[in-house]
Amino acid sequence: MRAIPAASVALLGTAALSACVPAGAAVGGGSTFGFTVHPATVAPGGEVTLGVGRGAGGCHGRVTVESPVFDTVIVPRHESSATARVDRDAGRGTVHQVTFTCGGRTGTVNLTIAGGHSHHPSGEPRHPKGVHAGEGGSAAGFDAKEIGLGLALVAGAVGAAYHLARRRSGEDGV
């Protein structure tokens, strides 16, 4: 009779631990080295930022980025992004693949060309705004306080489940 409460505690603990796994650690989701194109939809003549994940499991070398709607871009090994200007004659409403190549590995993402005009014509000076936010996501590194808090929550859930399972089995035996 002790097997049922022990099994429920084990299942609850497994469920709690699987809920704590970051999305980036899930099997099969995303690219092998975390590439991005932002924005995913851009007007002809607009600019896109090409990002490369440099964290664990990411690409640590030079990255070549190619697409039929902009010139080939090289992201140096010490950089995590580069920019590309989309051709002004890119067909509106079309979708093009952007191919990232790093050390023999390749990955693609789609880039959609929207209608309208670019907000920054080539003759107008640009003043970039915002900050470079780093790698982000689960690839940026571990925070000891967050890990400790997560472990405390899991331990509390397992302890509460064990306590409730023991209390109920004691009532059934009376």
Side-chain angles (χ1 to χ4, degrees):
M1 287 294 179
R2 296 252 185 232
I4 293 173
S8 64
V9 168
L11 286 174
L12 181 62
T14 302
L17 286 174
S18 65
C20 295
V21 174
V27 178
S31 74
T32 55
F33 52 88
F35 56 85
T36 60
V37 175
H38 185 74
T41 302
V42 65
E47 196 171 89
V48 292
T49 301
L50 310 166
V52 178
R54 298 292 190 183
C59 175
H60 298 289
R62 186 178 108 159
V63 179
T64 304
V65 186
E66 299 172 310
S67 178
V69 292
F70 57 78
D71 294 332
T72 299
V73 175
I74 303 295
V75 182
R77 71 174 0 153
H78 61 279
E79 297 287 330
S80 60
S81 66
T83 59
R85 180 156 311 272
V86 174
D87 296 335
R88 290 192 176 282
D89 60 351
R92 297 174 193 271
T94 58
V95 178
H96 300 275
Q97 283 193 335
V98 178
T99 304
F100 292 75
T101 306
C102 175
R105 298 185 299 176
T106 61
T108 60
V109 68
N110 289 334
L111 174 63
T112 303
I113 308 302
H117 302 306
S118 171
H119 295 290
H120 300 286
S122 59
E124 180 182 325
R126 290 198 69 223
H127 302 287
K129 293 180 173 55
V131 297
H132 178 71
E135 293 179 22
S138 62
F142 297 105
D143 181 4
K145 287 193 288 187
E146 288 178 358
I147 291 173
L149 180 60
L151 288 174
L153 288 172
V154 170
V158 170
Y162 178 75
H163 174 71
L164 291 173
R166 295 281 299 170
R167 191 172 88 190
R168 285 193 182 141
S169 65
E171 291 173 357
D172 292 341
V174 175

